Structures are given as C-alpha cells and as structure tokens.
C-alpha cells in the first residue's frame, strides 16, 4: 500500500461538474504509512484538470474492497 497512487474524483451533481469545467479531476497520493488498514500520506491534484495547487494531507482506511479517505488541506 505504501507508495504512489493515481486516481480521479468527480462530483455527483452534474451542474457542479459543468460549472467546474472538467469531467473529472486527477490526483496523485503518496502513501507514507500503512498499518491495520489505516493509511496517511500527501495528495496533489492535477491543476490542468481543475485541481487545487496546494498539497493536502490524506487520511484513509482500506476495508475489504473499499478505500475511503479524506483530504485535509494544509
């Protein structure tokens, strides 16, 4: 689990998605620690796909086939 991961997010609300001007926003997460299904790391959005410039902290959990996380902006 430790390492670099790429993914994307998009909004469920189509009006918000259209207002953003992008179908989806790409991101890269660097997982720095992983223990008992919990992980910590850093996340960077791709600015070219509508993301934020700042680096955020990410906290998450892996449970069976699901990965849940939240971005904590610095």
């Amino acid at each position: 689990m430790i390492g670099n991961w790429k993914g994307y997010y998009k909004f469920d609300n189509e009006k918000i998605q259209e207002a953003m001007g992008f179908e989806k926003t790409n991101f890269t997460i660097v997982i720095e620690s992983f223990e008992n299904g919990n992980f910590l790391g850093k996340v960077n959005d791709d600015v070219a796909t509508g993301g934020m410039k700042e680096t955020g902290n990410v906290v998450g959990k892996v449970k069976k086939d699901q990965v849940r996380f939240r971005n904590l902006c610095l």
Side-chain angles (χ1 to χ4, degrees):
M1 188 73 197
I2 292 176
N4 298 332
W5 297 83
K6 293 186 179 212
Y8 69 88
Y9 61 86
K10 60 190 282 183
F11 295 94
D12 289 338
N13 185 315
E14 288 184 28
K15 289 183 181 182
I16 294 173
Q17 198 67 43
E18 288 175 16
M20 291 290 296
F22 298 92
E23 179 183 342
K24 60 185 179 183
T25 300
N26 299 316
F27 63 84
T28 301
I29 293 178
V30 178
I31 303 298
E32 299 169 336
S33 68
F34 182 74
E35 187 175 333
N36 298 323
N38 299 300
F39 62 88
L40 299 170
K42 304 283 185 201
V43 61
N44 287 296
D45 285 348
D46 177 6
V47 177
T49 60
M52 297 171 44
K53 294 179 190 176
E54 297 81 7
T55 296
N57 292 318
V58 65
V59 177
K61 183 167 191 70
V62 177
K63 188 173 181 181
K64 295 187 181 181
D65 63 347
Q66 293 184 346
V67 177
R68 295 178 185 244
F69 62 90
R70 63 178 190 224
N71 180 11
L72 307 170
C73 293
L74 297 174

